[in-house]
């Protein structure tokens, strides 16, 4: 029983740390994005609140929380509130299968810096990535608004298409590593001494595009489409309830999927030992934020695809490419070994 | 004009499509801009000085002895005071205005038969700052200054009365009366945008 | 300890299944159905069938329910004829079937032996894959052919008339 309590306590601490870090970083990504977007457009971004505008996320949070809450007429109130949960929960749950570093021993307890090391971790990633679609659909439906509903239908079409491509693009990595556990995949890369992006460059590009599509980033952000749909499914939300939806979709999802991409293609926490025991975490976070930076940079560079093109690209170009990639990988792995 | 149609092949060949050359070009543009110095003017801390011909809040030039000789004659008909507006209440500005009701001009006849302008209100809430009233003014009284911070706490604040109009113009003349009357600060700036102009005369 | 988790999940499952049947609004009903699918995935996880849980999440909770949701949310419900009351004829047909099935299942549970797990399976995914592609290769391939036929049929039905 004592053993059980200790493991429960450790898990709770891990969850607390992860929640704090993820939500805090998510909030600060808003600052980072605004700053980056500003400088890309030769502006300054937030400067007034605190040094370099560093307190801007806090000010924004305060502003959002103190705003009046307006529920649109004819809205389905329980579903309206539930939709926020359904959008935020999968984005946070995605973090539960991300290993941030190798196992270490603290006070005689073996601690893995991952919340649940299940050997279907990647399936959980796909499932959570697509469960987020319910948040979008129901927030659009429940708010009883045309714009919101069109946005949510578009998002549903995008997610259904890209989830399939995402699954097939990752299959190559699973074939090479021979496991679906995230820790196993990272260890397979460390063992081989080579990141899987060199084995699976096509898969990485497909994964990157699916990541952009799932997190509603440019060039696949047809569900937001400010010009046509105002801002899509969250248009009827106000206050912090409005803040939660982009936070989940644009920041938490991007961070979590970047972390998954780091695990799958960039060797997870592997890297030269420069900071002693903290260097795995440093490398992991550095790679993850490299990817997040890339996504945001892409966001402020590219225009948006047409709504009809987005799903066509997925079904007609990316899915066949992913299938061919899986086939080639399977043949190569069968003949030249790999996996275990 | 003929339109040249390009097929997809003409602007993106296979290699470019595979390696996302167009993406990379776009990304390099934004990266270069990322390290460029921002061009923002941090408004409340820094304020731009507009060119002298800027069409900002209106002003009334005052009768102070600097007016051209051709105007001296109307002093006979007008009851001017020194340092007060040189308006003659001819309603030309109101006639030229696309939104005439924003003017409220009144004049009275003094006991000595001369005309005195007692009221010249401009409701800037209706004004679109086109400058037609300035062009129409026959005595060179109405002008536009470089003041652009026109926000106020009530609608009444946005109505320019004669005293404010006079104050604007006096202030404007003191600050910028000696500058050459042109849009560009100097010829070099102008040539940067418009190139060298060959004057015919 | 496991019983608490199992009990909580089972309670969640039962409540959401009942909700799916009893709630009036079709969207609420589909939400309860989604919740029951999630509870089922949780049950699978707590029983150690991780692959089943993952597939339950991906296939049922996402792929299938999403299409229900799409259909239900896009129907203009104010135009559909509402039925308020008890489905008498359906109940008359359904109740005997329900009772027979319940009795059969009760008999099976009481008389039959519950399957004991034979050897602890280390890697769910590997074992399921191996079984599918060795012992059950033929049914697996037949199933995929059936799906292919269904897909072709769907494409034919959805094709625009030239």
């Amino acid at each position: 029983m004592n053993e059980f309590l200790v493991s429960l306590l450790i898990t709770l601490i891990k969850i607390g740390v992860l929640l704090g870090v993820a939500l805090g970083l998510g909030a600060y990504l808003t600052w980072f994005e605004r700053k980056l977007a500003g400088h890309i457009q030769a502006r300054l971004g937030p400067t007034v609140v605190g040094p370099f505008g560093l307190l801007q996320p806090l000010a924004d949070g305060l502003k959002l929380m103190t705003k009046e809450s307006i529920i649109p007429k004819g809205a389905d109130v329980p579903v309206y509130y539930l939709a926020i949960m359904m959008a935020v929960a999968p984005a946070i749950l995605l973090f539960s299968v991300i290993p941030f570093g190798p196992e270490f021993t603290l006070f005689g307890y073996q601690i893995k810096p991952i919340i649940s090391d299940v050997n279907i971790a990647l399936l959980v990633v796909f499932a959570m990535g697509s469960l987020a679609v319910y948040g979008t659909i129901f927030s659009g439906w429940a708010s009883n608004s045309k714009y919101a509903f069109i946005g949510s239908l578009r998002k549903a079409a995008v997610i259904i298409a890209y989830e399939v491509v995402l699954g097939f693009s990752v299959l190559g990595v699973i074939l090479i590593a021979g496991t679906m556990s995230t820790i196993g995949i990272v260890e397979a890369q460390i063992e081989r001494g080579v990141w899987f992006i060199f084995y699976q460059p096509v898969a990485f590009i497909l994964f990157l595009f699916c990541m952009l599509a799932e997190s509603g980033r440019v060039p696949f952000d047809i569900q937001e489409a400010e010009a046509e749909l105002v801002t899509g499914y969250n248009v009827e939300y106000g206050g912090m309830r409005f803040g939660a939806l982009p936070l989940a979709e644009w920041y938490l999802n991007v961070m979590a999927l970047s972390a998954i991409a780091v695990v799958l293609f960039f060797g997870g926490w592997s890297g030269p030992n420069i900071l002693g025991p903290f260097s795995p975490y440093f490398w992991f976070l550095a790679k993850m934020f490299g990817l997040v930076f890339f996504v945001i940079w892409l966001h402020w560079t590219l225009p948006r695809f047409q709504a009809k093109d987005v799903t066509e690209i997925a079904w007609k170009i990316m899915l066949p490419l992913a299938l061919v990639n899986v086939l080639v990988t399977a043949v190569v792995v069968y003949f030249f070994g790999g996996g275990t | 004009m003929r339109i040249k149609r390009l097929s997809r092949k003409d602007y993106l060949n296979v290699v470019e499509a595979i390696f996302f050359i167009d993406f990379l070009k776009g990304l390099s543009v934004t990266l270069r801009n990322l390290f460029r110095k921002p061009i923002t003017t941090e408004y409340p801390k820094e304020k731009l000085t507009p060119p002298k011909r800027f069409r900002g809040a209106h002003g009334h030039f005052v009768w102070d002895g600097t007016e051209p000789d051709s105007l001296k004659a109307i002093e006979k008909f007008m009851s001017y005071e020194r340092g007060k507006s040189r308006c003659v209440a001819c309603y030309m500005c109101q006639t030229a205005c696309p939104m005439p009701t924003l003017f409220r001009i009144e004049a009275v006849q003094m006991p000595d038969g001369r005309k005195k302008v007692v009221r010249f209100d401009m409701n800037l809430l209706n004004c679109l700052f086109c400058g037609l009233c300035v062009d129409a003014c026959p005595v060179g009284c109405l002008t536009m200054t470089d003041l652009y911070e026109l926000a106020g706490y009530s609608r009444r604040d946005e109505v320019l009365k004669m005293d404010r109009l006079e104050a604007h113009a006096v202030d404007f003349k003191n600050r910028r009366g000696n500058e050459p009357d042109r849009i560009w600060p100097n010829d070099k700036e102008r040539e940067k945008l418009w190139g060298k102009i060959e004057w015919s005369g | 300890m496991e019983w608490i988790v199992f009990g909580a999940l089972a309670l969640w499952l039962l409540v959401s299944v009942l909700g799916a049947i009893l709630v009036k609004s079709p969207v609420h009903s589909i939400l309860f159905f989604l919740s029951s699918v999630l509870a089922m995935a949780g049950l699978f996880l707590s029983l150690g069938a991780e692959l089943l849980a993952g597939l339950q999440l991906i296939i049922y909770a996402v792929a299938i329910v999403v299409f229900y949701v799409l259909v239900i949310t896009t129907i203009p419900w104010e135009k559909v004829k509402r039925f308020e009351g008890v489905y008498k004829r359906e109940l008359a047909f359904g109740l005997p079937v329900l009772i027979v099935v319940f009795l059969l299942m009760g008999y099976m549970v009481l008389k039959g032996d519950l399957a004991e797990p034979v050897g602890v399976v280390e890697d769910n995914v590997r074992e399921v894959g191996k079984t599918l592609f060795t012992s059950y290769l033929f049914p697996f391939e037949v199933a995929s052919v059936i799906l292919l036929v269904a897909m072709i049929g769907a494409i034919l039905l959805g094709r625009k008339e030239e």
Side-chain angles (χ1 to χ4, degrees):
Chain A
M1 202 59 194
N2 197 22
E3 197 71 4
F4 173 77
L5 277 183
V6 167
S7 75
L8 189 69
L9 188 70
I10 289 175
T11 311
L12 283 181
I13 290 174
K14 280 195 281 195
I15 290 174
V17 169
L18 192 77
L19 262 187
V21 170
L23 291 177
L25 282 180
Y28 263 90
L29 269 185
T30 61
W31 172 83
F32 180 67
E33 171 152 20
R34 288 173 66 178
K35 215 56 180 165
L36 194 72
H39 280 278
I40 280 176
Q41 297 166 356
R43 294 184 286 114
L44 283 167
T47 51
V48 179
V49 194
F52 305 108
L54 268 174
L55 299 178
Q56 188 71 42
L58 298 181
D60 282 347
L62 210 64
K63 181 200 78 175
L64 286 175
M65 268 185 261
T66 49
K67 269 193 166 177
E68 185 190 6
S69 68
I70 299 169
I71 295 176
K73 199 176 162 193
D76 195 325
V77 178
V79 181
Y80 181 82
Y81 282 108
L82 193 66
I84 305 163
M85 294 297 135
M86 289 198 290
V88 178
I92 293 175
L93 280 177
L94 268 178
F95 284 97
S96 67
V97 293
I98 296 168
F100 289 94
E103 210 172 354
F104 62 93
T105 314
L106 193 71
F107 306 124
Y109 294 107
Q110 289 280 323
I111 296 176
K112 284 180 185 172
I114 175 174
I115 287 178
S116 64
D117 179 23
V118 286
N119 58 11
I120 53 150
L122 284 179
L123 288 186
V124 173
V125 170
F126 304 148
M128 291 309 156
S130 16
L131 275 181
V133 74
Y134 291 116
T136 323
I137 294 184
F138 283 118
S139 60
W141 182 82
S143 47
N144 195 22
S145 152
K146 291 184 198 79
Y147 293 123
F149 192 56
I150 292 173
S152 61
L153 283 185
R154 284 184 175 186
K155 170 90 177 178
V158 168
I159 291 232
I160 289 168
Y162 281 84
E163 195 58 37
V164 177
V165 182
L166 183 71
F168 278 109
S169 69
V170 170
L171 269 188
V173 172
I174 298 174
L175 279 174
I176 295 178
T179 175
M180 279 207 219
S181 143
T182 40
I183 288 189
I185 288 171
V186 173
E187 275 166 356
Q189 294 180 54
I190 293 174
E191 210 176 286
R192 281 186 181 72
V194 59
W195 294 352
F196 282 157
I197 185 174
F198 298 114
Y199 287 159
Q200 296 280 327
V202 178
F204 173 67
I205 290 172
L206 294 176
F207 186 90
L208 189 69
F209 280 5
C210 297
M211 185 168 121
L212 295 173
E214 294 231 333
S215 50
R217 285 287 184 172
V218 163
F220 301 104
D221 66 336
I222 51 164
Q223 79 270 21
E224 319 262 318
E226 292 90 348
E228 330 150 25
L229 293 181
V230 199
T231 159
Y233 62 94
N234 53 20
V235 67
E236 298 292 345
Y237 283 78
M240 199 60 209
R241 293 188 305 285
F242 164 72
L245 291 168
L247 177 76
E249 198 192 15
W250 278 19
Y251 300 107
L252 290 181
N253 240 338
V254 166
M255 273 204 298
L257 287 171
S258 304
I260 298 287
V262 167
V263 166
L264 290 173
F265 297 103
F266 291 98
W269 61 78
S270 68
N273 188 355
I274 53 167
L275 292 172
F278 291 107
S279 85
Y281 303 98
F282 168 76
W283 283 113
F284 192 92
L285 289 178
K287 289 170 189 172
M288 182 172 125
F289 276 101
L291 262 178
V292 171
F293 169 77
F294 182 75
V295 168
I296 296 179
W297 176 20
L298 212 58
H299 188 123
W300 293 98
T301 301
L302 296 180
R304 176 184 309 131
F305 277 121
Q306 283 181 23
K308 69 174 168 46
D309 283 351
V310 170
T311 41
E312 271 198 17
I313 290 170
W315 291 114
K316 292 186 181 166
I317 300 174
M318 288 170 69
L319 187 60
L321 262 181
L323 285 173
V324 169
N325 182 47
V326 170
L327 198 70
V328 171
T329 315
V331 170
V332 169
V333 166
Y334 183 77
F335 283 111
F336 298 99
T340 42
Chain B
M1 195 159 60
R2 280 184 59 238
I3 296 173
K4 190 182 169 196
R5 295 202 180 278
L6 294 175
S7 69
R8 192 164 174 81
K9 263 191 190 140
D10 290 337
Y11 58 91
L12 211 65
N13 62 36
V14 179
V15 179
E16 282 174 348
I18 289 178
F19 290 104
F20 297 103
I21 297 295
D22 44 347
F23 274 35
L24 295 180
K25 274 183 191 163
L27 287 174
S28 74
V29 170
T30 41
L31 193 66
R32 254 180 284 132
N33 276 300
L34 181 57
F35 297 110
R36 213 175 78 187
K37 200 166 158 291
I39 55 168
T40 312
T41 315
E42 289 185 74
Y43 164 62
K45 282 188 243 162
E46 314 167 1
K47 288 177 185 173
L48 288 176
T49 310
K52 195 187 173 191
R53 281 193 184 179
F54 185 77
R55 297 206 292 253
H58 300 75
H60 267 190
F61 281 128
V62 295
W63 190 264
D64 54 359
T66 56
E67 55 274 355
D69 291 336
S70 53
L71 278 183
K72 293 272 202 269
I74 58 172
E75 206 177 1
K76 272 186 231 160
F77 312 108
M78 299 298 302
S79 159
Y80 280 143
E81 285 172 48
R82 236 182 142 67
K84 290 287 179 189
S85 164
R86 68 164 95 133
C87 179
V88 293
C90 61
Y91 299 89
M92 283 292 197
C93 42
Q94 193 169 16
T95 313
C97 185
M99 181 70 200
T101 47
L102 71 88
F103 287 97
R104 170 104 23 110
I105 308 169
E106 283 167 19
V108 293
Q109 197 172 20
M110 300 298 280
D112 59 355
R114 293 199 289 186
K115 189 179 183 185
K116 182 171 174 62
V117 183
V118 291
R119 183 169 189 171
F120 192 102
D121 296 352
M122 288 186 73
N123 184 356
L124 289 193
L125 289 173
N126 286 341
C127 181
L128 52 93
F129 295 92
C130 59
L132 290 179
C133 48
V134 177
D135 294 346
C137 189
V139 290
C141 169
L142 197 59
T143 182
M144 283 177 121
T145 62
D146 61 353
L147 302 173
Y148 54 87
E149 289 166 313
L150 299 175
Y153 286 101
S154 71
R155 283 165 185 273
R156 191 164 291 142
D157 289 351
E158 300 305 308
V159 179
L160 292 185
K161 297 259 164 64
M162 211 141 71
D163 49 344
R164 264 176 84 193
L165 287 166
E166 284 156 2
H168 281 173
V170 168
D171 171 50
F172 183 60
K173 200 167 188 174
N174 285 343
R175 280 186 293 118
R176 313 196 57 172
N178 294 328
E179 274 179 40
D181 189 12
R182 61 185 171 199
I183 298 174
W184 309 106
N186 51 46
D187 288 339
K188 230 164 108 193
E189 290 288 320
R190 192 200 64 224
E191 276 165 19
K192 236 190 267 172
L193 263 103
W194 299 103
K196 209 165 177 79
I197 298 171
E198 294 290 328
W199 299 102
S200 55
Chain C
M1 203 59 221
E2 277 173 14
W3 284 104
I4 298 176
V5 176
F6 180 80
L9 284 170
L11 194 69
W12 175 16
L13 178 61
L14 285 179
V15 167
S16 43
V17 167
L18 281 179
I21 301 171
L22 297 178
V23 171
K24 266 197 187 133
S25 156
V27 172
H28 293 177
S29 171
I30 202 80
L31 271 170
F32 273 111
F33 180 60
L34 179 65
S35 137
S36 76
V37 170
L38 292 184
M40 189 90 92
L43 270 182
F44 282 139
L45 259 186
S46 79
L47 293 175
E50 289 167 339
L51 181 66
L52 264 186
L55 292 182
Q56 172 90 3
L57 277 180
I58 289 186
I59 295 173
Y60 278 95
V62 178
I64 293 179
V65 179
V66 143
F67 284 105
Y68 290 173
V69 169
L70 279 184
V71 171
I72 286 181
T73 49
T74 42
I75 289 176
W77 281 100
E78 63 275 6
K79 290 182 190 159
V80 178
K81 201 178 158 197
R82 288 278 175 94
F83 175 77
E84 305 279 344
V86 186
Y87 291 90
K88 287 201 192 73
R89 201 152 39 110
E90 286 80 354
L91 198 67
F93 284 113
L95 203 60
V97 178
L98 186 75
I99 291 171
V100 169
V101 169
F102 183 77
L103 287 178
L104 271 177
M105 283 177 71
Y107 180 77
M108 280 197 297
V109 170
L110 287 176
K111 290 287 172 184
D113 292 324
L114 290 178
E116 290 292 323
V118 187
V120 182
V121 179
E122 266 299 305
D123 193 343
N124 261 307
V125 185
R126 189 179 303 278
E127 293 305 320
V128 170
K130 229 176 229 169
T131 327
L132 266 188
F133 280 97
T134 51
S135 332
Y136 297 106
L137 183 61
F138 183 66
F140 182 74
E141 291 299 331
V142 169
S144 53
V145 169
I146 291 173
L147 283 178
L148 186 66
V149 170
M151 196 170 84
I152 292 170
I155 291 172
L156 272 180
L157 284 177
R159 178 178 67 113
K160 272 186 207 142
E161 290 296 328
E162 299 294 329

